[in-house]
């Protein structure tokens, strides 16, 4: 007999039928009168993470919300990640209450708004956030640019599958990331090496809610667990390296240093190394050349 019970799946299952850990994000958009509108969301996750010509998030929301209507009218969005300060979460809950106009909800907002770094007319960003993604809705996907603001009582079909109006009351928005903005402390940690003490105090929204409360937990210092990397056979690395580019070779000693790269990432890593080698005029990647290439890869990451 199973140790689990089968729980009925209902609307808003992540809140009503599950304990689902999620981020706490305040989404900034520009209202009709030009004000920055802040709405609280947790259904916002990475979408395009590699292999595309841009990176993207996906935002899921009610299509009648101020946020959705503003995106349909404009396209510029800011995703503001707040810390686990109780007063911030209390304010996020207030900003997430449906029905208030932008003027009503923003009148006594406790957050400080400032201009971001991306170009164009955009919502302001939250000064108290530890990081901000400035984004643009990609309305070209599924021809979602045909969806218009104004239907506050629900949209009639046809619906899109993943971008724009996706149901009578729902919307999904694929958000191209234009800028990732980070406070100095966390920027320096990512660039120079992250330790447990360097993580921002990120709250966890537990998803489940009842008729009275949203639930959130405070940050606890994370603990590290070493990656149990499997060393590949040097012959596997040599085999892959020979097939990247006939103009650039790898010595056996250099290949031996690359055996800890997981096989699924090996081709991409070798391709990047060969590209840098060509830029540096290197025809054979030996141990010294590998050091030059890795230094450049680190500098590009910092850039």
């Amino acid at each position: 007999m199973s140790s689990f019970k089968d729980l009925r799946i209902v609307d808003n299952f992540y809140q009503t039928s599950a304990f689902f850990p999620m981020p706490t994000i305040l989404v900034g958009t520009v209202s009709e009168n030009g004000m920055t509108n802040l709405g609280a969301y947790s259904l916002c996750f990475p979408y395009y993470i590699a292999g595309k010509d841009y990176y993207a998030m996906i935002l899921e929301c009610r299509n009648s919300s101020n946020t959705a209507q503003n995106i349909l009218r404009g396209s510029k969005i800011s995703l503001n990640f707040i810390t686990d300060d109780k007063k911030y979460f209390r304010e996020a809950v207030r900003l997430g209450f449906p029905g208030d106009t932008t003027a009503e909800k923003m009148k006594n907002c406790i957050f400080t708004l400032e201009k971001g770094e991306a170009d164009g007319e955009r919502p302001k960003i939250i000064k108290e956030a530890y990081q901000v993604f400035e984004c643009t809705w990609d309305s070209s996907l599924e021809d979602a640019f045909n969806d218009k603001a104004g239907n506050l009582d629900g949209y009639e079909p046809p619906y899109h599958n993943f971008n724009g109006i996706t149901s009578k009351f729902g919307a999904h928005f694929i958000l191209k990331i234009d800028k990732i903005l980070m406070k100095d402390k966390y920027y320096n940690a990512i660039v120079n090496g992250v330790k447990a003490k360097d993580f921002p105090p990120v709250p966890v929204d537990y998803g489940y809610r009842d008729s009275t409360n949203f639930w959130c937990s405070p940050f606890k210092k994370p603990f590290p667990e070493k990656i149990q990397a499997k060393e590949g056979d040097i012959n596997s690395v040599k085999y892959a390296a020979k097939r990247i580019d006939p103009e650039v070779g790898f010595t056996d000693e250099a290949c031996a240093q690359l055996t800890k790269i997981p096989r699924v990432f090996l081709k991409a890593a070798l391709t990047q190394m060969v590209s840098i080698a060509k830029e540096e005029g290197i025809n054979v990647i030996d141990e010294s050349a590998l050091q030059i290439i890795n230094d450049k890869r680190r500098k590009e990451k910092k850039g």
Side-chain angles (χ1 to χ4, degrees), residues 82 84-93 110-111 128:
I82 58 175
D84 66 352
D85 192 311
K86 283 187 177 180
K87 67 182 179 184
Y88 291 169
F89 189 70
R90 188 179 302 117
E91 181 72 342
V93 172
I110 69 171
F111 294 110
E128 292 83 359

Side-chain angles (χ1 to χ4, degrees), residues 233-261:
D233 181 357
I234 187 174
N235 289 325
S236 297
V237 178
K238 290 166 62 177
Y239 180 85
K242 287 179 181 179
R243 282 155 180 77
I244 298 299
D245 192 303
E247 297 179 3
V248 178
F250 287 77
T251 65
D252 290 354
E253 293 76 15
C255 289
Q257 292 192 30
L258 303 176
T259 56
K260 289 188 178 181
I261 298 175

Side-chain angles (χ1 to χ4, degrees), residues 139-160:
S139 60
S140 68
L141 299 173
E142 288 200 289
D143 292 339
F145 53 80
N146 290 316
D147 294 338
K148 305 300 180 185
N151 294 357
L152 301 184
D153 295 323
Y155 284 76
E156 297 303 319
Y159 302 120
H160 300 298

